[in-house]
């Protein structure tokens, strides 16, 4: 991937949703909601506060994160649909 995020931005690839419910009902693609979980592919260097002090991003590549349904900006890179969003738009890191 030739995408390097700037400041406190993060590049995320959405994780696929389950296409079948627990009871076995298959959900068609056009009826499924966009997943709200993803994997961090790239992290920016961070941003500066009002005094010019550097604040590093608290995420790392490979983290699985939760974000809002409409968070971030969707971009296509090499045929993959990715999200670019600020660190503050991410709600949580999923612990394994």
């Amino acid at each position: 991937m030739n995408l390097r995020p700037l400041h406190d931005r993060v590049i995320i690839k959405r994780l696929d949703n389950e296409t079948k419910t627990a009871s076995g009902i298959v959900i068609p693609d056009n009826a499924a909601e966009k997943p709200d979980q993803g994997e961090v592919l790239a992290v920016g260097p961070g941003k500066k506060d009002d005094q010019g002090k550097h604040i590093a991003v608290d995420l790392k590549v490979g983290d699985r994160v939760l974000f809002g349904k409409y968070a971030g900006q969707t971009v296509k890179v090499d045929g993959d649909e990715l999200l670019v969003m600020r660190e503050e738009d991410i709600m949580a890191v999923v612990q394994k």
Side-chain angles (χ1 to χ4, degrees), residues 52-65:
K53 183 178 172 187
H54 183 262
I55 302 170
V57 176
D58 195 25
L59 297 167
K60 61 185 181 306
V61 173
D63 280 348
R64 187 173 183 167
V65 295

Side-chain angles (χ1 to χ4, degrees), residues 36-52:
D36 55 358
Q37 289 188 35
E39 181 181 350
V40 176
L41 298 180
V43 178
K47 62 180 180 178
K48 295 187 181 206
D49 64 9
D50 295 336
Q51 289 79 33

